[in-house]
Each structure stands twice: as structure tokens, then as C-alpha cells.
Amino acid sequence: KNEVEQSPQNLTAQEGEFITINCSYSVGISALHWLQQHPGGGIVSLFMLSSGKKKHGRLIATINIQEKHSSLHITASHPRDSAVYICAVYHGSQGNLIFGKGTKLSVKP
Amino acid sequence: NAGVTQTPKFRVLKTGQSMTLLCAQDMNHEYMYWYRQDPGMGLRLIHYSVGEGTTAKGEVPDGYNVSRLKKQNFLLGLESAAPSQTSVYFCASSYLRTDTQYFGPGTRLTVL
């Protein structure tokens, strides 16, 4: 069983829709990251969180430590949001990031 | 600031050839990482470094060696390339271990 599971694997949305990507993990963590991988391959960090909620522009990330679950929301989606979104967790005993397989989002105009 | 840079961007090798991938960062980060990304799999850690002169094994270290002679550079070597090492390689760096990681643009390696 993968330690970090993302759902859905693929997501197609119409421009303007509200989008939710989910991440569940099975290990104790000290922090969770959301990253975005552009179609060209570049990877950028969106959020790092260990509790509660963070917001940046149209992106909102939440985490529930007790339920071992995080969500990434995109409000008023736009075609430029099309990318792969990756969840990664810091597992305390290993001390390195464990990555999910990613969710491929396509936003149609 | 250039951030994290990687050279080369693309490379094709024949089985048994060797090569070195270079990662450079100008953010004075202590931690540097080498990952590989394969279709249908998450990023996997190959080796990492917690400071100049130090290296440590990650999840998939076999067939790779690394060196961190200068704080800003982290080299990944393949001594005898195999087709199973065909992948996209990403370098990343961070100030603290649990901090945001900054990624390079990636190197696409094909081993024939």
C-alpha cells in the first residue's frame, strides 16, 4: 500500500469550476507539502502545512492531522491551472519527503 | 538569483557509459537532493546531502554515486548506465530539512 494516496488520478474541469484534490497518508507526519508540476516539467512548491489551512490567491490547502487527510482547492479554475498536483509528506522516522503519484488536472476553456 | 539549475537538460547514453549530472543552487541552502521521476510513480529520492562534504542514501541509491565538494553544487554520477536508469532526474534544495524544497528544471536521461 502506498503511504501517500491522491485522488482523483485525473480530473477534467470546465473553466470557472471549483476543484478539490485529495491526499491521504498512512504514516505519522511532521509536515505536508503540495507541489505543482507544469506541463513543461518544472516543479514548484505551493504550500507547506502542518495544521489548519493556508490560502494563496485562488488556492486553498487544508489538513486534518487526526484523519490523516489533506485537500487542495482551486476556486474559479482557469486553463492555466492545468498541471499535475503532487502531495508529499515528511515522515518523521525517515526524515525525507514521500511523494504521491500526483493528480493530473486539465481545465477546459 | 538563478535558484536551482541542472545541466544537462537532455542526454542519451548507451548501456555501460558513464555520466555526471550537475546541480547548482545559489540560495546558500544546506540540504540538497536528487530525485528520479518515472511514469506512474511518485518522485523517489536517490541521494541527499545535509551539508558540504556530506552525502546519504535515499530510497533508490543503487547504481548512483554523489558528491558535494562545494556547498552550492551536488553532483550525481552514473558509473555504468543501464536502461532502468532512463528517467527524468530532478535536483532540489532547501534551507532546513522540513522546509520548502526548490526544484531544478530536470534532466531527461535516456539509456539505450
Side-chain angles (χ1 to χ4, degrees):
Chain A
K1 183 182 183 300
N2 291 331
E3 292 168 301
V4 181
E5 297 273 3
Q6 289 185 235
S7 63
Q9 282 187 305
N10 294 283
L11 180 57
T12 300
Q14 287 299 126
E15 184 173 357
E17 285 185 357
F18 180 85
I19 288 162
T20 296
I21 298 170
N22 296 299
C23 176
S24 296
Y25 51 92
S26 58
V27 295
I29 69 167
S30 56
L32 181 143
H33 291 248
W34 282 103
L35 306 103
Q36 180 191 55
Q37 185 167 24
H38 300 295
I43 300 173
V44 295
S45 181
L46 298 174
F47 295 103
M48 182 178 73
L49 62 166
S50 54
S51 65
K53 176 178 171 178
K54 285 191 176 180
K55 184 175 188 289
H56 186 259
R58 295 180 294 107
L59 301 177
I60 304 166
T62 64
I63 188 169
N64 185 317
I65 296 292
Q66 286 74 27
E67 294 186 4
K68 296 186 176 177
H69 181 267
S70 176
S71 293
L72 177 68
H73 305 286
I74 304 175
T75 61
S77 60
H78 190 276
R80 65 174 175 266
D81 296 325
S82 297
V84 175
Y85 292 85
I86 301 169
C87 171
V89 301
Y90 265 110
H91 181 22
S93 66
Q94 291 183 20
N96 292 308
L97 279 177
I98 305 170
F99 293 82
K101 294 180 180 180
T103 294
K104 186 174 182 180
L105 171 65
S106 178
V107 181
K108 306 294 186 187
Chain B
N1 287 350
V4 180
T5 58
Q6 291 182 232
T7 52
K9 288 187 169 54
F10 303 93
R11 186 73 186 268
V12 178
L13 291 178
K14 294 181 180 177
T15 297
Q17 287 185 318
S18 64
M19 77 163 294
T20 300
L21 282 68
L22 170 64
C23 175
Q25 53 94 4
D26 61 3
M27 296 174 281
N28 202 35
H29 285 168
E30 292 293 337
Y31 293 83
M32 297 187 75
Y33 314 85
W34 275 108
Y35 296 99
R36 61 178 289 172
Q37 186 177 43
D38 301 295
M41 303 185 74
L43 287 154
R44 291 182 293 169
L45 183 65
I46 305 171
H47 285 281
Y48 65 100
S49 169
V50 302
E52 182 178 314
T54 74
T55 63
K57 293 180 180 180
E59 182 186 353
V60 289
D62 293 342
Y64 305 95
N65 56 75
V66 287
S67 63
R68 183 114 179 255
L69 299 179
K70 293 183 178 180
K71 187 176 183 178
Q72 63 267 35
N73 296 337
F74 194 29
L75 279 63
L76 178 71
L78 286 74
E79 289 187 348
S80 179
S84 60
Q85 293 177 305
T86 293
S87 188
V88 181
Y89 292 85
F90 287 96
C91 175
S93 71
S94 65
Y95 185 63
L96 299 174
R97 190 167 212 160
T98 56
D99 249 353
T100 296
Q101 291 189 12
Y102 294 83
F103 286 79
T107 295
R108 185 173 295 275
L109 174 67
T110 301
V111 183
L112 303 175

